[in-house]
Amino acid sequence: VTFFFTDIYQPVVGQSAIVDRQFLRLQEAIGKEIDYQEELLEVLGMMDTLFATFTKKRATHLEENKSNGLTETIETNMNN
């Protein structure tokens, strides 16, 4: 959307104080959104680390049961 606004109003940039002010507001809004997205990615990285730490890994053995031409995968727990 910003590209469309830039293309439309590019001829009047620097000629209209109103348009210039609105572009500055748009620039600030985009800057804030980028900051929010960066913080969100940091938090998601922390959460991934926590979930990886708390997830109990269990050994499993996959068996395939081929009957009637269909393949069924059966998961059995190896920690018994």
Side-chain angles (χ1 to χ4, degrees), residues 36-51:
Y36 294 144
Q37 293 293 326
E38 288 173 348
E39 289 178 24
L40 176 64
L41 288 173
E42 288 178 17
V43 170
L44 286 173
M46 290 179 219
M47 290 176 64
D48 283 343
T49 303
L50 286 173
F51 289 140

Side-chain angles (χ1 to χ4, degrees), residues 38-79:
E38 288 173 348
E39 289 178 24
L40 176 64
L41 288 173
E42 288 178 17
V43 170
L44 286 173
M46 290 179 219
M47 290 176 64
D48 283 343
T49 303
L50 286 173
F51 289 140
T53 302
F54 291 125
T55 302
K56 179 180 177 183
K57 295 188 168 118
R58 60 181 188 163
T60 59
H61 178 69
L62 298 178
E63 298 176 3
E64 290 185 359
N65 182 5
K66 296 181 181 180
S67 61
N68 300 328
L70 300 174
T71 302
E72 176 185 11
T73 302
I74 303 168
E75 183 178 326
T76 57
N77 193 347
M78 300 287 291
N79 293 332

